[in-house]
């Protein structure tokens, strides 16, 4: 007897990725450890570094993305990359055959984040990493005083 699996149906939530057209958005990436907030924001999965890769419209948001995360490996005695994609990012993977070819080429040597970034840049991906934080005044109460008082 064949096992049966439940069919899950998700209600349309109206996210940016619904009915997305990846052909109109530039391919890009963001490198977690190089962001201004990266050192203070641990990666949920316990990874030591991460690249988010996807299609990022100029006006913001994404039409689809996935991640490559690096984990410490005692077995290999080095950081080992792992491709991570939720089901809403699978189409994005399919729309990037040149990236899959790059990963197949360099994957056996456990590439570092920098080596993957170099490959992404060579393929024409945009670096969207936010390296500088928002400009905020640490002492607004001092600097916003009325000069006449």
């Amino acid at each position: 007897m064949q096992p049966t699996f439940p069919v899950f149906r998700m209600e349309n939530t109206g996210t940016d990725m619904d009915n997305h057209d990846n052909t109109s958005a530039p391919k890009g990436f963001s490198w977690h450890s190089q962001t201004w907030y990266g050192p203070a924001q641990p990666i949920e999965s316990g990874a030591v570094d991460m690249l988010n890769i996807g299609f990022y419209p100029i006006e913001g948001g994404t039409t689809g993305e996935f991640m490559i995360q690096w984990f410490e490996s005692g077995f290999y005695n080095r950081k080992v990359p792992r491709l991570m994609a939720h089901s809403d990012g699978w189409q994005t993977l399919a729309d990037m055959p040149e990236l899959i070819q790059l990963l197949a080429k360099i994957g056996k040597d456990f590439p570092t984040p920098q080596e993957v970034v170099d490959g992404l840049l060579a393929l024409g991906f945009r670096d969207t990493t936010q390296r500088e934080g928002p400009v905020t005044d640490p002492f607004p109460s001092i600097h916003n005083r009325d000069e006449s008082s």
Side-chain angles (χ1 to χ4, degrees), residues 20-21 41 50-51 55 66 70 89 91 102 108 118 120 126 128 134 139 141:
H20 63 277
D21 174 17
Q41 183 181 18
M50 173 174 66
L51 293 173
F55 292 95
F66 55 90
W70 278 261
Q91 182 61 51
L102 169 70
K108 293 178 183 168
D118 291 345
L120 291 170
R126 264 185 339 130
T128 64
F139 305 104
S141 62

Side-chain angles (χ1 to χ4, degrees), residues 66-81:
F66 55 90
M67 301 154 278
I68 300 175
Q69 298 181 333
W70 278 261
F71 294 86
E72 292 289 349
S73 171
F75 183 78
Y76 292 109
N77 199 28
R78 62 175 63 180
K79 294 175 187 162
V80 176

